[in-house]
């Protein structure tokens, strides 16, 4: 088990702040190069935070309302470079002539973007701390402020429903649609015996939610092991937290700085 995220902060420079706001404000469309950079950064942050390992992926919609998204070709997140990022449509097909192939489970992304116009970015991971909550009847509940979105509900996708016995991978459009249905209008969905999908209105939100969803699972399991009644965040607290327009900007700036320093 790795340590809880280190506390820390840095003073975001004007440029970093502008990039962050651009990445989060749907009306201002960041350039394609900026979006590709965000996909690379997100992959490296998720790997550094141990949310993904050799497997897992993150995507971003090309523009609000667009039927296309950017995602890496099929390589480990820590190894993703700008040259690996490719564009797929909502059928999760690349443009004609594209020789590279993306992840087998790319249908997760296309089918969620299709039915969730509010979603601008999607993460799929297999973080071990999340698995117990997908294979028991114990629901994830919000244990602290950073993961208050858990209080909006984190359902569990049962691939056997409709899929029967599978290899557990969401590798068809049909399974992608079933997963999107299980997610509904929620911020995340657990996948029984497999992992989770986390969505956000920006790539910053999907990445930060992924990090804090995993922390929530670890802390909740620790609290439950202590055998006492647990005080979870209540509905009113969850609602008030959801009103914060930029809860994760500082975290993104810090994580981005850390992965950039690590790459030198
Ligand atoms: Zn998977």
């Amino acid at each position: 088990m790795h340590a809880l995220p280190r506390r820390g902060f840095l003073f975001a420079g004007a440029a970093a702040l502008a990039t962050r706001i651009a990445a989060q404000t749907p009306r201002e469309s960041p350039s394609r190069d900026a979006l590709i950079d965000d996909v690379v950064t997100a992959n490296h942050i998720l790997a550094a935070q141990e949310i993904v390992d050799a497997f897992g992926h993150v995507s971003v919609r090309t523009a609000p309302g667009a039927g296309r998204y950017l995602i890496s070709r099929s390589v480990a997140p820590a190894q993703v470079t700008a040259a690996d990022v490719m564009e797929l449509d909502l059928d999760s097909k690349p443009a004609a002539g594209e020789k590279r192939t993306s992840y087998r489970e790319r249908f997760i992304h296309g089918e969620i973007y299709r039915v969730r116009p509010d979603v601008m970015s999607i993460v799929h991971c297999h973080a071990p701390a999340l698995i117990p909550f997908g294979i028991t009847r114990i629901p994830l509940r919000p244990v602290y402020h950073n993961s208050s979105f858990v209080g909006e509900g984190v359902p569990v996708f049962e691939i056997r429903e409709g899929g029967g016995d599978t290899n557990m991978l969401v590798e068809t459009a049909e399974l992608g649609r079933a997963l999107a249905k299980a997610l509904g209008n929620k911020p995340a969905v657990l996948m029984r015996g497999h992992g989770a999908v986390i969505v956000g209105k920006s790539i910053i939100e999907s990445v930060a939610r992924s990090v804090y969803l995993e922390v929530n699972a670890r802390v909740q399991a620790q609290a439950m092991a202590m055998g006492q009644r647990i005080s979870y965040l209540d509905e009113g607290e969850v609602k008030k937290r959801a009103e914060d327009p930029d809860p994760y900007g500082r975290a993104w700036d810090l994580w981005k700085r850390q992965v950039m320093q690590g790459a030198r």
Side-chain angles (χ1 to χ4, degrees):
M1 187 162 75
H2 63 267
L4 294 174
R6 290 180 295 276
R7 290 189 67 218
F9 67 92
L10 56 87
F11 294 100
L17 190 62
T19 306
R20 204 170 88 202
I21 290 167
Q24 292 192 116
T25 309
R27 304 251 171 247
E28 295 173 29
S29 295
S31 71
R32 187 182 175 80
D33 283 352
L35 280 178
I36 290 173
D37 277 353
D38 282 346
V39 171
V40 174
T41 300
N43 271 283
H44 295 177
I45 289 172
L46 290 166
Q49 295 290 322
E50 299 183 39
I51 303 305
V52 296
D53 50 13
F55 306 100
H57 21 94
V58 51
S59 69
V60 66
R61 199 193 286 268
T62 55
R68 309 187 75 81
Y69 66 96
L70 299 173
I71 190 168
S72 174
R73 72 184 176 94
S74 188
V75 294
Q79 295 179 308
V80 170
T81 67
D84 296 314
V85 178
M86 51 193 295
E87 185 174 314
L88 304 183
D89 63 18
L90 295 189
D91 292 328
S92 296
K93 286 191 183 127
E98 173 63 75
K99 296 276 188 288
R100 301 171 299 174
T101 50
S102 186
Y103 302 101
R104 287 167 70 182
E105 295 193 281
R106 58 192 177 277
F107 301 99
I108 291 171
H109 302 259
E111 298 306 322
I112 290 175
Y113 286 128
R114 195 192 299 281
V115 296
R116 286 283 302 270
D118 60 310
V119 168
M120 288 295 290
S121 178
I122 299 170
V123 171
H124 170 51
C125 73
H126 307 146
L130 298 174
I131 303 300
F133 294 91
I135 59 178
T136 65
R137 290 181 176 273
I138 298 171
L140 273 173
R141 294 184 63 187
V143 296
Y144 83 140
H145 64 309
N146 281 334
S147 55
S148 55
F149 64 89
V150 171
E152 295 168 35
V154 180
V156 177
F157 172 58
E158 172 49 80
I159 197 168
R160 288 191 195 113
E161 285 174 15
D165 281 344
T166 63
N167 64 0
M168 304 301 287
L169 303 180
V170 180
E171 58 181 6
T172 66
E174 188 184 4
L175 288 170
R177 281 194 290 276
L179 175 65
K181 194 173 170 202
L183 170 68
N185 64 354
K186 304 301 184 192
V189 59
L190 300 180
M191 303 157 79
R192 193 265 309 161
H194 180 172
V197 171
I198 303 94
V199 302
K201 62 181 181 298
S202 68
I203 198 164
I204 293 175
E205 187 169 69
S206 69
V207 167
R209 279 179 167 178
S210 301
V211 171
Y212 291 118
L213 184 70
E214 193 267 355
V215 178
N216 193 101
R218 279 188 285 130
V219 173
Q220 185 176 338
Q222 286 167 5
M224 292 179 82
M226 293 168 80
Q228 302 287 314
R229 195 185 77 82
I230 300 173
S231 290
Y232 297 103
L233 269 66
D234 64 32
E235 215 172 297
E237 290 169 329
V238 168
K239 273 200 183 124
K240 282 242 163 84
R241 289 285 306 163
E243 290 166 8
D244 187 339
D246 184 22
Y248 299 123
R250 187 193 289 179
W252 172 269
D253 288 345
L254 173 67
W255 296 331
K256 184 173 180 177
R257 175 73 64 92
Q258 288 172 335
V259 295
M260 286 171 79
Q261 285 171 340
R264 271 191 220 136

